[in-house]
Amino acid sequence: DHSGSMSGEKLTQAKDALRGVLKNLNQQDRFNIILYNDQIDPMFDRLRSGKGAGFREAMERIDRIDASGGTDIDGALGAAMKQCTDKERPSYIIFLTDGQPTVGKTKEADILSDTKAANTGGVRLFAFGVGYDPNVRLLDRLVAENNGRSDYFKPKEPIEGKVGSLYSKIKNPVMTGLDVSLNGLRVKDMYPRQGGDLFDGDQIVLVGRYDAD
């Protein structure tokens, strides 16, 4: 997100976080950067190798990112999902915004349904809300429906540390696409509904209600 409200310290922190992610890419990883405000501007037309010319070009272009315009969340997520259609390997989107959707489709229901429909590759979506007014309800529902997690930062709270901590986990998943079954129990109200992924140094907690047979 490089909309006008990201100007100043927030954009600087976001750039630092982005650089941190790029520096920690593995050789076999592929990446792209979707810059968005009221326009959607993928840095590359396809995913690029985690090392090499694409990495060097991305690092140089990050310095030239400035803040202006509105916030097209629906368009940004749709463009990112189109880059991640390979079902043979886990794909992750790290989504960052500091505000409400103001351009393009702005209704929560439309954004949720569009993102879910575009997620044909089983992408895990991780969202970071910055500042005092991100749409927490929308971001939490987006990640819940796309097997990810969300986190939030106050204006002067460092972003790069948490984003770097997240990436250090997701770059080496231990197990992906976990499915939990309980024999001999009638289970209801389980959360999360899907097991998701287990990352190095992390844990998965499932809660719910059950009746024994």
Side-chain angles (χ1 to χ4, degrees), residues 90-102:
S91 297
Y92 301 92
I93 291 174
I94 299 176
F95 181 70
L96 187 147
T97 183
D98 76 328
Q100 312 282 341
T102 60

Side-chain angles (χ1 to χ4, degrees), residues 11-26 29 31 33 50-51 55 58-59 62-63 94 159-171:
L11 187 61
T12 298
Q13 290 178 316
K15 289 181 180 182
D16 288 342
L18 183 52
R19 292 187 190 98
V21 169
L22 292 179
K23 289 177 182 177
N24 282 283
L25 290 171
N26 296 317
D29 291 337
F31 79 97
I33 299 169
K51 304 296 181 183
F55 166 80
M59 292 294 283
I62 289 171
D63 292 333
I94 299 176
I159 300 173
E160 59 270 24
K162 284 191 176 181
V163 174
S165 176
L166 166 69
Y167 188 76
S168 69
K169 294 179 180 180
I170 67 175
K171 73 174 183 177

